[in-house]
Structure formats: C-alpha cells, structure tokens
Amino acid sequence: MEESIRDILGRDDGGGEVTVRGWLRTARHAKNLSFLEVSDGSCFAGIQVVAGPECPDFEDEVRGLGTGCAVEATGELVDSPGKGQRFEIHASQVTLVGGVEDDYPLQKKRHGFEFLRTIAHLRPRTNSLGAVLRVRDAATRAIHDFFHDRGFVQLHSPVITLSDAEGAGDMFRVSTFEPGQVPVDEAGEVDWKQDFFDAPTFLTVSGQLEAEIGALALSRVYTFGPTFRAENSNTSRHLAEFWMVEPEVAFCELVGLADLAEDFLKSVFRQVGEQCEDDLAFFNERIDDSVLETLEHVVEEPFGRITYSEAVEILEKSGREFEFPVSWGADLQSEHERFLTEEHFKRPLIVTGYPKDIKAFYMYRNDDQRTVAAMDVLVPRIGEIIGGSQREHRLDTLKKRIAEQGLPEEEYWWYLDLRRYGSVPHSGFGLGFERLVQFMTGMANIRDVIPFPRVPGNAEF
C-alpha cells in the first residue's frame, strides 16, 4: 500500500517521489498553477499539491477540479514555504478518479451540525466529523489497551436478551411474528412459545449481567459493544443505539472499583491526547476552547470523592436555585452534577452511597439499610460519565431486593445461582462511550459523536 498522508507528513525530511490518493478539500486555480488540498482522512491535516502546465491534461482536467473530487497525485515531496504546513507536493501527474456533480452539498462554506445529520453518508468528509471518528478510533484502542495491560479478558455479551438488566425502561423487542399475525393462547395473550426464542426477547440495554458470569470465572472481564434503549427522547443527550464499556471484577469492593474508574479515565484521556493532538486542537479552536485544559486537568489532578449525602448537603447550602429541587432520596440531575464538578470542586468527582430506592436491585446494600454501594463518576460539561456499583453477592439479601422491586424471581434463576455457587464480592461499572467522546471533543450533541445516529424517526444511514 502507498503511504498515507499521515505517514508522509510524519517524515523528518522531504525529497523523493510520493503518491497520494484522497479527496479535495479545496481547489484554487491561479493563472499558471493549481493549488489542491488533498485529504485521505488518515489525519486532520491535508497536504497541498501544486500542479502546473507540466502535468498532463493540465488545462482539460486539472483546471476543472473542485471540492469533493477524488484524485490521485504523484510528484516530489518538498518543504513548503507556506505557514502551517510542513511539506507540499510538486505534482508531475494529477488524475481525476471520481468527479462531483454541481449539487455536491459540502462546498467550501461551513454547514451546521443539524444540516450535516441529514447527510450522514457524506459528513465524515468534514473536518469536524472526520476528527470525531479519529478520536473514537483512538479511544477504542486506548480502552482495549488499558484492560489488556491489566489482565482483563474481553467478553462478547449477547445483543439479544430476555432481561432488562437495569430496569432501564423501554426496550426494543426481537420477534419473528409478522404484524397482524401474532398468535394468541387460550387466555387471549400473545403465545410467545410460537416465537423464535420461545419467550419475549429484546435488544440488550447492558452487558453487565453476562459480565458478572464472566468475572465469577475469569476474575477480570470487560464488554464493549452496542446497547439499545427505546426511549422516545429527542434530546442532545439520548441515542437509541450507543456503545457501552462495562468491566466487571471479582474480589473487588467499591473502593477498588473507584480506583479502577479513575485510572481508566486518566489512561484513556492521556493516550488519546498523545495520538490525536491535531484533532483535539481543532476542537479546542472551533468547538469548545476549554477542551485541552479540561483534559489535561482530568489527567493530572486526583478526582474528588464524596458521599451522596455530602453532595446533597453541599447543594442545599449552595444558595443556588436549581430547576430540579434537591432533597435526600432524589436522584442527582445533570445541573446538580455540573455544579459540583464545575463550580464547587472544580474537578471530576466520584459520588458514592446512593439511596437504595433509586438504584437497581443488584447493588450491594450497605449496613445502614438506606444506601447501596453505588458510585457515579461526574465530569465537567457532561455530568455522569460512569455509573457502577459493588454487586450484591449475598443470596438472601439479593432475593429480598428482587422481591422489593416487584421483579419475577424465576427470571433471575441463573443470576441467583451465581450467589449459590462460589459467590464472592465483585464490582463493575458502565461507561457510555459516546459520552466519553463528547467530553473529549466538546461536541454539544451526542448525535454528532457517532457515525450513524439512531434516534426516534431516523434509522436511514
């Protein structure tokens, strides 16, 4: 394969013939020269190709090139006299590979993100979405590196499931029944025994329960895959399909889990910062001028740690009028989380010990009988970025929690078996990958940090 533009720009010196293939970001045609900025997506920067009459078909083909055209250019790599670019190519040959029609929507002018969502098949060619995809890629590799370096085994959890792991609300149903031809039993209820899986099945909202199976055999596992929520929410914070990272660790209590979460975020941010300097500089310049400072702050400063009760007390004494009133027993809202991280503590924060009545059945009940060993990691701009807990490993207590929440115990028979046979304290957390990317890039809408957003009314791209 030919060198990428990233490889070429990474050279120590110019000289020699090179070939680049990519798409034109811009094309300027002077009297006897054409200046073509070629990007192949391998890095934020493009490379300028300078073409003159010595190129074959200069007047007939090169002079007609415009934004969006796919080209192949060969020439000598030389030091560039222009500011902001290390090298340029003095072309001996420029070949049009694929032209564009007059209505090509990504002309030189800048477009808003809302418009770009309507052309999701073309928006990766823009500076912003191209940078997002490279940051996603670097973050993905950083996540795998972190866990593999610490002896975790990646577990591929199922996408199709019988259970709503978190009580998270509406789920997408999976069925082979044809609309209008759903069989019913003698009681007039849907006869799921005739469906493909012999029971009501759904797209998963979490790989956590399966990760617990893995952890109680392999000690340290993590899942990284798509999850689904059927909430009809048209907001800047919600997607119907998104990616989750969920580690699970045996012989680990809440303090160890908090340490793991802090180390994890610092490691990922550090590695992405090293690998995506140009992309992050773009976000800092064009999207949010606090991106670089915030990432550096997260990497260098220790996270604060407080209990939920302490957080409520701070909020109640803040003198701030919040949209959602603060009281013990109510969940913290985004505005509360941002106040704590951005104004009061001015750093990321780990909050522990939430009321049991607002948390899931599987969380370890503390001795006070009012709270559970849960934690949320809060960061500026986003609020909650990680949620996790020590899991309830005591069989009798878990059965009581299932009954308290009105869940059918028989559907969790295998989950209870894990407590019957060799149960140990274990803990895990979940990270919404898109929220991580939002935080690193400063992008305001979660739909702009995933290549193909799935939201109510849109699954086209």
Side-chain angles (χ1 to χ4, degrees):
M1 294 178 65
E2 300 285 350
E3 287 181 288
S4 68
I5 290 176
R6 178 178 180 175
D7 295 333
I8 292 170
L9 294 178
R11 289 185 180 187
D12 293 329
D13 301 297
E17 185 177 86
V18 297
T19 296
V20 295
R21 299 181 179 91
W23 296 266
L24 295 186
R25 284 180 174 169
T26 60
R28 295 184 294 110
H29 302 290
K31 186 175 181 180
N32 292 312
L33 291 174
S34 290
F35 300 90
L36 312 173
E37 184 185 3
V38 182
S39 170
D40 64 2
S42 61
C43 59
F44 184 83
I47 192 166
Q48 179 167 271
V49 175
V50 182
E54 65 276 9
C55 287
D57 299 318
F58 177 70
E59 291 293 339
D60 295 336
E61 185 165 284
V62 176
R63 305 285 281 178
L65 295 174
T67 300
C69 287
V71 300
E72 177 181 305
T74 299
E76 185 175 1
L77 186 68
V78 301
D79 291 335
S80 174
K83 289 185 178 181
Q85 50 190 21
R86 176 72 176 86
F87 301 115
E88 64 184 26
I89 298 172
H90 287 180
S92 57
Q93 176 84 42
V94 177
T95 303
L96 174 64
V97 179
V100 298
E101 297 184 5
D102 293 339
D103 60 351
Y104 180 59
L106 296 177
Q107 298 296 339
K108 188 174 180 180
K109 65 180 180 179
R110 293 175 64 183
H111 296 290
F113 291 118
E114 187 172 354
F115 167 75
L116 293 177
R117 287 177 218 130
T118 68
I119 52 169
H121 58 302
L122 296 176
R123 70 176 185 162
R125 302 185 192 183
T126 64
N127 286 337
S128 54
L129 269 295
V132 162
L133 295 183
R134 285 186 294 272
V135 168
R136 281 183 69 101
D137 174 66
T140 298
R141 285 184 281 120
I143 288 166
H144 288 303
D145 288 346
F146 175 86
F147 288 122
H148 289 165
D149 289 347
R150 287 158 180 78
F152 282 71
V153 176
Q154 185 179 10
L155 182 75
H156 297 121
S157 56
V159 170
I160 299 174
T161 181
L162 296 179
S163 65
D164 179 355
E166 303 177 2
D170 294 334
M171 302 173 72
F172 289 104
R173 189 178 297 279
V174 177
S175 174
T176 58
F177 289 157
E178 292 291 335
Q181 301 179 25
V182 178
V184 296
D185 57 23
E186 294 179 355
E189 302 291 335
V190 174
D191 187 1
W192 295 111
K193 293 294 184 182
Q194 297 189 44
D195 205 1
F196 189 90
F197 291 107
D198 205 33
T201 51
F202 309 89
L203 295 181
T204 185
V205 298
S206 170
Q208 177 207 313
L209 301 188
E210 290 81 11
E212 289 189 51
I213 295 174
L216 293 175
L218 304 175
S219 293
R220 301 179 181 184
V221 301
Y222 73 103
T223 73
F224 190 177
T227 54
F228 307 85
R229 301 279 171 87
E231 300 174 36
N232 191 14
S233 298
N234 275 296
T235 76
S236 62
R237 292 167 52 86
H238 290 88
L239 292 166
E241 175 184 295
F242 54 97
W243 287 67
M244 288 282 286
V245 181
E246 297 177 285
E248 198 75 28
V249 189
F251 304 100
C252 177
E253 299 185 354
L254 191 65
V255 172
L257 184 70
D259 292 341
L260 178 70
E262 181 171 350
D263 291 345
F264 168 75
L265 289 177
K266 287 179 180 291
S267 177
V268 172
F269 291 159
R270 184 181 298 110
Q271 186 167 323
V272 173
E274 292 170 353
Q275 295 181 357
C276 296
E277 288 186 18
D278 290 347
D279 295 309
L280 294 175
F282 165 79
F283 291 119
N284 198 76
E285 178 183 350
R286 295 291 185 90
I287 304 299
D288 185 333
D289 63 8
S290 67
V291 163
L292 294 178
E293 180 182 0
T294 302
L295 289 177
E296 182 179 0
H297 188 67
V298 171
V299 170
E300 299 299 332
E301 296 295 325
F303 289 11
R305 301 197 186 191
I306 62 172
T307 66
Y308 166 87
S309 296
E310 291 169 336
V312 170
E313 184 177 358
I314 291 170
L315 292 166
E316 288 178 334
K317 293 180 178 179
S318 68
R320 180 69 57 87
E321 289 290 333
F322 293 107
E323 179 183 355
F324 295 93
V326 180
S327 62
W328 200 99
D331 209 353
L332 298 181
Q333 302 297 316
S334 178
E335 59 176 338
H336 308 144
E337 296 167 344
R338 293 190 60 176
F339 172 82
L340 292 168
T341 56
E342 295 172 14
E343 300 185 45
H344 188 83
F345 287 94
K346 297 185 179 354
R347 57 176 169 165
L349 195 61
I350 301 177
V351 181
T352 61
Y354 283 82
K356 67 179 179 62
D357 292 336
I358 63 172
K359 289 298 182 180
F361 73 93
Y362 52 74
M363 296 186 179
Y364 183 91
R365 180 178 287 187
N366 292 324
D367 292 342
D368 62 13
Q369 302 300 312
R370 299 174 69 224
T371 64
V372 290
M375 71 164 198
D376 285 342
V377 181
L378 315 180
V379 295
R381 297 200 315 265
I382 298 294
E384 179 195 340
I385 196 170
I386 281 177
S389 72
Q390 181 176 333
R391 315 311 189 189
E392 184 55 77
H393 67 281
R394 299 165 296 187
L395 177 61
D396 290 345
T397 305
L398 181 60
K399 292 174 72 172
K400 289 177 183 177
R401 290 284 286 149
I402 289 174
E404 287 173 0
Q405 297 201 9
L407 299 173
E409 182 178 315
E410 63 274 12
E411 292 186 9
Y412 294 91
W413 65 270
W414 60 269
Y415 195 66
L416 294 170
D417 269 3
L418 296 176
R419 277 68 182 171
R420 292 187 176 97
Y421 310 129
S423 182
V424 302
H426 59 286
S427 303
F429 66 73
L431 166 86
F433 185 58
E434 281 69 33
R435 286 197 180 183
L436 180 79
V437 178
Q438 262 194 290
F439 181 71
M440 289 189 290
T441 60
M443 297 289 278
N445 196 311
I446 199 167
R447 303 180 191 196
D448 298 323
V449 295
I450 190 168
F452 310 106
R454 294 291 179 260
V455 296
N458 183 25
E460 183 174 4
F461 297 106

